């Protein structure tokens, strides 16, 4: 890897983003669907899992979107990531994969990789006439970092390549990981976000594995990716900052009763780090995860922001479904879509396995 900017990155900005969501392909489709507030979960034509509705990326056929070359054995999660990265790179302009491939990294979050691929491969090894009668071309789909690695190969991103898995908090963790890469001078720009595919296999896994206090379905799928780089680099290549990263905090809790205090601590600490008063936050994007945990998150936020203040909020899960590992990445997409220039936005995420994340963004360039 060669880097022409080894110095610390300074102010970091999101200078581009894109999404493959239940509203369609691209940032415009997501923004329009969110603005309209239209639910994007629909009845499944042929339900094979425990749910009869889901938020599916409409019309997403892998070969129709990416072509036939190199896609014969590609799984859906990888295809969603590859397509979203392509949309982002096409819209972001110069100084990226085509010009400086060694300086561009990728941090992609996922829950398990492609659950369908893992189960299909395992099933075939047990049910075929011989265990060796499995298609080796499908084996790479069973590893968690397939989507991140294939996206980098497809688009010539030769910088650091990392896969992050942290439940519902994954999108916020990926953004924070990308920020650390930049601040340590490991690359000049990073594509970061998270992906999740819908399949009957994933639906059964989520249904059987959910905690008693966690609401059931409907599930959603998709990928949201962001281009993170220094403000100076974005300006140098003619990109306008969509949002400035002001801070992030992650707190663990061991018992469900600890959810509220963990949210309060994460929010309080990240606001202090960002030098932001609660009354200055104009937009909240909580998990909207429902159930007991969702209620505790909402109560904790109501306590921190007890002033009312006329601030707005976006609740995304009820519109596009539970996108699991991609949920907080879509919350970030909602934040940059709905925030007005100069507004401070707080995104919070709660994972039932005991993690809370909180990220503060400032819409546009830092004031």
């Amino acid at each position: 890897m060669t880097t022409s900017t080894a110095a610390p990155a300074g102010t970091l900005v999101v200078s581009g983003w894109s999404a493959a969501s239940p509203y369609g392909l691209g940032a415009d489709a997501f923004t329009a669907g969110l603005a309209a507030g239209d639910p994007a979960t629909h009845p499944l034509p042929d339900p094979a899992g425990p749910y009869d509705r889901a938020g599916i990326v409409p019309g997403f056929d892998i070969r129709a979107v990416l072509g036939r070359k190199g896609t014969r054995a590609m799984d859906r999660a990888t295809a969603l990531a590859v397509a979203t990265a392509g949309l982002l790179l096409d819209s972001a302009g110069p100084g990226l994969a085509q010009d400086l491939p060694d300086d561009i990294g990728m941090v992609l979050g996922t829950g398990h990789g492609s659950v369908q691929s893992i189960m299909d491969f395992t099933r075939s090894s047990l049910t075929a006439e011989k265990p060796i009668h499995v298609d080796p071309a499908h084996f790479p789909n069973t590893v968690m970092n397939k989507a991140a690695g294939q996206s980098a190969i497809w688009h010539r991103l030769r910088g650091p390549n990392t896969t992050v898995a942290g439940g519902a908090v994954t999108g916020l963790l990926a953004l924070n990981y990308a920020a650390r890469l930049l601040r340590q001078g490991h690359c000049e720009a990073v594509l970061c976000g998270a992906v999740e595919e819908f399949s009957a296999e994933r639906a059964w896994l989520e249904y059987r594995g959910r905690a008693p206090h966690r609401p059931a379905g409907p599930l959603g799928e998709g990928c949201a990716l962001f281009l993170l780089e220094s403000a100076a680099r974005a300006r140098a290549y003619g990109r306008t900052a969509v949002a400035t990263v002001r801070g992030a905090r992650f707190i663990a809790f061991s018992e469900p009763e600890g959810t509220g205090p963990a949210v309060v601590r994460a929010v309080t600490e990240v606001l202090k780090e960002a030098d932001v008063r609660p009354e200055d936050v104009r937009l909240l994007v909580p998990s909207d995860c429902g159930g007991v945990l969702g209620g505790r998150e909402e109560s904790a936020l109501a306590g921190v922001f007890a002033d009312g203040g006329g601030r707005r909020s976006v609740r995304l899960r009820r519109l596009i479904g539970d996108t699991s590992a991609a949920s907080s990445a879509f919350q970030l997409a909602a934040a940059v879509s709905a925030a007005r220039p100069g507004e401070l936005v707080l995104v919070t995420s709660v994972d039932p396995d005991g993690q809370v994340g909180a990220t503060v963004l400032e819409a546009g360039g830092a004031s």
Side-chain angles (χ1 to χ4, degrees):
M1 179 183 72
T2 61
T3 57
S4 58
T5 304
T11 301
L12 299 180
V13 298
V14 175
S15 55
W17 69 281
S18 195
S21 75
Y23 288 122
L25 288 179
D28 290 345
F30 181 84
T31 299
L34 181 67
D38 295 330
T41 61
H42 302 287
L44 292 167
D46 185 21
Y51 306 115
D52 58 4
R53 298 177 64 87
I56 306 293
V57 179
F60 188 80
D61 179 82
I62 296 176
R63 292 191 175 187
V65 175
L66 298 175
R68 301 180 67 85
K69 185 177 180 181
T71 57
R72 182 181 71 83
M74 185 179 288
D75 63 86
R76 188 171 178 85
T78 299
L80 288 168
V82 170
T84 306
L87 291 169
L88 174 52
L89 291 169
D90 288 344
S91 62
L96 298 174
Q98 295 302 317
D99 304 322
L100 300 166
D102 292 347
D103 297 332
I104 313 302
M106 183 160 197
V107 179
L108 186 67
T110 179
H112 306 275
S114 173
V115 173
Q116 180 172 358
S117 295
I118 294 168
M119 291 192 178
D120 286 348
F121 192 85
T122 303
R123 185 184 299 112
S124 67
S125 70
L126 295 172
T127 60
E129 185 176 347
K130 293 183 178 180
I132 59 173
H133 290 169
V134 295
D135 187 348
H138 291 281
F139 177 74
N141 295 336
T142 66
V143 297
M144 185 177 286
N145 65 344
K146 169 67 186 303
Q150 186 64 55
S151 296
I153 293 169
W154 193 281
H155 297 294
R156 299 179 68 240
L157 307 173
R158 297 175 182 162
N161 188 278
T162 304
T163 296
V164 176
V169 189
T170 295
L172 303 186
L173 290 170
L175 181 68
N176 194 54
Y177 195 107
R180 291 169 59 192
L181 285 177
L182 293 173
R183 290 183 175 123
Q184 294 299 318
H186 293 300
C187 53
E188 291 195 3
V190 183
L191 274 65
C192 60
V195 65
E196 194 74 81
E197 69 177 15
F198 176 83
S199 66
E201 288 79 1
R202 178 190 152 219
W204 278 117
L205 197 65
E206 299 258 8
Y207 181 79
R208 297 294 188 192
R210 77 189 194 286
H213 50 266
R214 185 180 173 189
L219 301 184
E221 69 166 5
C223 179
L225 286 175
F226 308 88
L227 175 61
L228 190 69
E229 60 187 336
S230 70
R233 189 177 194 277
R235 285 194 299 271
Y237 285 105
R239 284 186 280 274
T240 302
V242 176
T244 301
V245 180
R246 295 287 297 268
R249 272 291 187 278
F250 300 92
I251 303 294
F253 58 93
S254 58
E255 300 294 337
E257 292 74 15
T259 307
V263 172
V264 170
R265 182 182 166 194
V267 171
T268 302
E269 291 186 3
V270 75
L271 292 180
K272 182 178 180 181
E273 175 189 335
D275 194 21
V276 170
R277 301 174 302 173
E279 56 265 35
D280 295 331
V281 175
R282 307 315 305 161
L283 179 65
L284 296 177
V285 190
S287 298
D288 189 30
C289 58
V292 174
L293 287 186
R296 287 172 174 154
E297 180 188 16
E298 297 283 353
S299 296
L301 292 174
V304 174
F305 298 100
D307 64 304
R311 64 184 56 82
R312 297 169 292 122
S313 62
V314 175
R315 286 167 174 77
L316 194 59
R317 181 184 181 277
R318 64 193 66 182
L319 296 177
I320 66 172
D322 181 357
T323 54
S324 300
S327 59
S328 56
F330 277 117
Q331 288 175 251
L332 291 169
V336 299
S337 295
R340 298 160 184 160
E343 283 190 333
L344 291 163
V345 187
L346 174 69
V347 180
T348 60
S349 179
V350 176
D351 184 78
D353 285 338
Q355 284 193 91
V356 168
T359 296
V360 173
L361 302 175
E362 180 176 347
S367 57

